Amino acid sequence: MQTLSDRPTARTFRATDSGLTAEMRAAFETDGYLVIEDFVPMDLCDRLMARATELVGGFDIEAHRTVFSTKSVAHATALYFQESGDAIRFFLEEEAVDAAGNLTRPKELAINKIGHAMHDLDPVFSEFSRQAHLAALAKGLLQDPLLLQSMYIFKQPGIGGEVSWHQDSTYLYTEPMSCIGFWFALEDADSSNGGMLAMRGGHRGPLRQRFRRLPDGKLETEKLVTTPWLEKDVVNLDARKGSLVVLHGLLPHYSSANRSTRSRHAYTLHCIDGACRYPADNWLRRGDHLPLRGF
Ligand code: FE2
């Protein structure tokens, strides 16, 4: 069995002006991920973090106390979550709320994530999400990349929740499948503060689950593969501040709880291909007022 100490770390690339190089394409096809260092300048990371702090400052926590957890379905039953595909909404860490529903820490240290349309609704997030280097890279991977979902993930010190093994195409499904995740480290992320792990090459396996919206509006997880996850060829996706991690939609990935004293802020943007069909039973949907846009 693989232990923490013998788990390899993913190879890294450097950003280029020409977007996706042939070497990057080959690695992405083989591994299902890319780690590109120094993709975003430090000051741009700081600017996005400052903007997230401003957004949290304007959040009325008394009005919405929705906890996000990958281990329970409580958030999936909340309209506040169900209708967040074309909004900017705030979800709390499970361990930031006590049994009586009260916050156990200040608001800015209690939030798990912000989602899911900052990239279209907030000018600072929109500019970050449409930076030229990223557009070039996305256009090398997808025929007609559309920016579908954004999340700002806090992975708070001490309580940042575990994100269990999953594939992003479970949540953002197209026919044929086209979801690609662009995950930006806004702070250093490694195994000590809840950095990501992935199963190298695991994107060549089938989609295991679909998170769907039923005709009555309820969200449910449909199991397509019932055998348990086999943790195989697991690598650390360590990412220094400013790194971009690109994730194939079928790549199994995971991040542990953050029990350290360091936060691990990250921003993630998911694109799909406009050439593919986006079925109406996807959980994430948008009103006609906010059509999907590209770069
Ligand atoms: Fe993910």
Side-chain angles (χ1 to χ4, degrees), residues 151 163 166-168 171 183 196 247 253 268 270:
M151 294 187 284
V163 177
H166 68 281
Q167 298 161 301
D168 290 342
Y171 303 97
W183 189 100
M196 273 195 294
L247 299 165
H253 56 287
T268 165
H270 284 90

mmCIF file of all heavy atoms in Angstrom, residues 151 163 166-168 171 183 196 247 253 268 270, ligand 1:
data_model
loop_
_atom_site.group_PDB
_atom_site.id
_atom_site.type_symbol
_atom_site.label_atom_id
_atom_site.label_comp_id
_atom_site.label_asym_id
_atom_site.label_seq_id
_atom_site.Cartn_x
_atom_site.Cartn_y
_atom_site.Cartn_z
ATOM 1 N N MET A 151 -15.525 28.877 -8.419
ATOM 2 C CA MET A 151 -15.595 28.691 -6.961
ATOM 3 C C MET A 151 -14.333 29.287 -6.337
ATOM 4 O O MET A 151 -13.235 29.074 -6.840
ATOM 5 C CB MET A 151 -15.664 27.203 -6.595
ATOM 6 C CG MET A 151 -16.935 26.515 -7.045
ATOM 7 S SD MET A 151 -17.058 24.816 -6.429
ATOM 8 C CE MET A 151 -15.916 23.969 -7.494
ATOM 9 N N VAL A 163 -12.411 17.058 0.872
ATOM 10 C CA VAL A 163 -13.208 16.868 -0.345
ATOM 11 C C VAL A 163 -12.895 15.462 -0.829
ATOM 12 O O VAL A 163 -11.771 15.171 -1.240
ATOM 13 C CB VAL A 163 -12.877 17.935 -1.423
ATOM 14 C CG1 VAL A 163 -13.680 17.661 -2.686
ATOM 15 C CG2 VAL A 163 -13.188 19.335 -0.893
ATOM 16 N N HIS A 166 -13.507 12.352 -6.208
ATOM 17 C CA HIS A 166 -14.600 12.621 -7.148
ATOM 18 C C HIS A 166 -14.024 12.965 -8.514
ATOM 19 O O HIS A 166 -12.819 13.197 -8.660
ATOM 20 C CB HIS A 166 -15.471 13.779 -6.644
ATOM 21 C CG HIS A 166 -14.756 15.098 -6.650
ATOM 22 N ND1 HIS A 166 -13.854 15.455 -5.674
ATOM 23 C CD2 HIS A 166 -14.767 16.122 -7.530
ATOM 24 C CE1 HIS A 166 -13.358 16.652 -5.946
ATOM 25 N NE2 HIS A 166 -13.884 17.085 -7.064
ATOM 26 N N GLN A 167 -14.918 12.995 -9.494
ATOM 27 C CA GLN A 167 -14.587 13.458 -10.845
ATOM 28 C C GLN A 167 -15.459 14.690 -11.102
ATOM 29 O O GLN A 167 -16.662 14.675 -10.801
ATOM 30 C CB GLN A 167 -14.935 12.375 -11.867
ATOM 31 C CG GLN A 167 -14.150 11.076 -11.690
ATOM 32 C CD GLN A 167 -14.833 9.915 -12.400
ATOM 33 O OE1 GLN A 167 -15.986 9.576 -12.107
ATOM 34 N NE2 GLN A 167 -14.132 9.297 -13.341
ATOM 35 N N ASP A 168 -14.893 15.730 -11.680
ATOM 36 C CA ASP A 168 -15.683 16.958 -11.856
ATOM 37 C C ASP A 168 -16.823 16.782 -12.864
ATOM 38 O O ASP A 168 -17.848 17.464 -12.773
ATOM 39 C CB ASP A 168 -14.769 18.118 -12.269
ATOM 40 C CG ASP A 168 -13.859 18.557 -11.120
ATOM 41 O OD1 ASP A 168 -14.160 18.223 -9.952
ATOM 42 O OD2 ASP A 168 -12.845 19.234 -11.389
ATOM 43 N N TYR A 171 -20.403 16.499 -11.726
ATOM 44 C CA TYR A 171 -21.192 17.693 -11.395
ATOM 45 C C TYR A 171 -21.479 18.567 -12.612
ATOM 46 O O TYR A 171 -22.449 19.327 -12.600
ATOM 47 C CB TYR A 171 -20.457 18.509 -10.317
ATOM 48 C CG TYR A 171 -20.209 17.670 -9.089
ATOM 49 C CD1 TYR A 171 -18.997 17.025 -8.880
ATOM 50 C CD2 TYR A 171 -21.240 17.452 -8.170
ATOM 51 C CE1 TYR A 171 -18.789 16.213 -7.785
ATOM 52 C CE2 TYR A 171 -21.050 16.633 -7.071
ATOM 53 C CZ TYR A 171 -19.820 16.012 -6.886
ATOM 54 O OH TYR A 171 -19.635 15.183 -5.812
ATOM 55 N N TRP A 183 -7.602 25.186 -11.814
ATOM 56 C CA TRP A 183 -7.517 25.365 -10.350
ATOM 57 C C TRP A 183 -6.276 26.202 -10.047
ATOM 58 O O TRP A 183 -5.150 25.796 -10.353
ATOM 59 C CB TRP A 183 -7.434 23.979 -9.719
ATOM 60 C CG TRP A 183 -7.536 23.869 -8.238
ATOM 61 C CD1 TRP A 183 -8.638 23.520 -7.521
ATOM 62 C CD2 TRP A 183 -6.477 24.049 -7.280
ATOM 63 N NE1 TRP A 183 -8.321 23.485 -6.178
ATOM 64 C CE2 TRP A 183 -7.017 23.812 -6.007
ATOM 65 C CE3 TRP A 183 -5.118 24.403 -7.388
ATOM 66 C CZ2 TRP A 183 -6.256 23.910 -4.845
ATOM 67 C CZ3 TRP A 183 -4.367 24.511 -6.225
ATOM 68 C CH2 TRP A 183 -4.936 24.266 -4.974
ATOM 69 N N MET A 196 -4.136 19.104 -3.048
ATOM 70 C CA MET A 196 -4.858 18.056 -3.787
ATOM 71 C C MET A 196 -4.006 16.822 -4.064
ATOM 72 O O MET A 196 -2.793 16.901 -4.193
ATOM 73 C CB MET A 196 -5.320 18.614 -5.134
ATOM 74 C CG MET A 196 -6.647 19.314 -5.072
ATOM 75 S SD MET A 196 -7.329 19.567 -6.736
ATOM 76 C CE MET A 196 -6.139 20.700 -7.424
ATOM 77 N N LEU A 247 -7.290 20.122 -14.650
ATOM 78 C CA LEU A 247 -7.830 18.804 -14.305
ATOM 79 C C LEU A 247 -8.818 18.330 -15.369
ATOM 80 O O LEU A 247 -9.815 19.023 -15.656
ATOM 81 C CB LEU A 247 -8.577 18.880 -12.961
ATOM 82 C CG LEU A 247 -7.760 19.306 -11.731
ATOM 83 C CD1 LEU A 247 -8.694 19.676 -10.588
ATOM 84 C CD2 LEU A 247 -6.829 18.180 -11.302
ATOM 85 N N HIS A 253 -9.847 13.058 -8.141
ATOM 86 C CA HIS A 253 -8.980 13.877 -7.281
ATOM 87 C C HIS A 253 -9.632 14.054 -5.916
ATOM 88 O O HIS A 253 -10.820 13.796 -5.738
ATOM 89 C CB HIS A 253 -8.611 15.203 -7.944
ATOM 90 C CG HIS A 253 -9.778 16.037 -8.376
ATOM 91 N ND1 HIS A 253 -10.556 15.715 -9.468
ATOM 92 C CD2 HIS A 253 -10.311 17.169 -7.865
ATOM 93 C CE1 HIS A 253 -11.508 16.621 -9.603
ATOM 94 N NE2 HIS A 253 -11.396 17.514 -8.637
ATOM 95 N N THR A 268 -11.158 28.223 -8.522
ATOM 96 C CA THR A 268 -11.314 27.230 -9.569
ATOM 97 C C THR A 268 -12.406 27.629 -10.554
ATOM 98 O O THR A 268 -13.450 28.155 -10.174
ATOM 99 C CB THR A 268 -11.510 25.811 -8.971
ATOM 100 O OG1 THR A 268 -11.984 24.953 -9.977
ATOM 101 C CG2 THR A 268 -12.446 25.786 -7.833
ATOM 102 N N HIS A 270 -14.410 26.204 -14.061
ATOM 103 C CA HIS A 270 -14.683 25.032 -14.892
ATOM 104 C C HIS A 270 -15.260 25.446 -16.237
ATOM 105 O O HIS A 270 -16.199 26.248 -16.286
ATOM 106 C CB HIS A 270 -15.642 24.075 -14.184
ATOM 107 C CG HIS A 270 -14.973 23.286 -13.101
ATOM 108 N ND1 HIS A 270 -14.907 23.737 -11.801
ATOM 109 C CD2 HIS A 270 -14.300 22.108 -13.134
ATOM 110 C CE1 HIS A 270 -14.225 22.844 -11.075
ATOM 111 N NE2 HIS A 270 -13.849 21.857 -11.855
HETATM 112 FE FE FE2 B 1 -13.080 18.771 -8.092
#
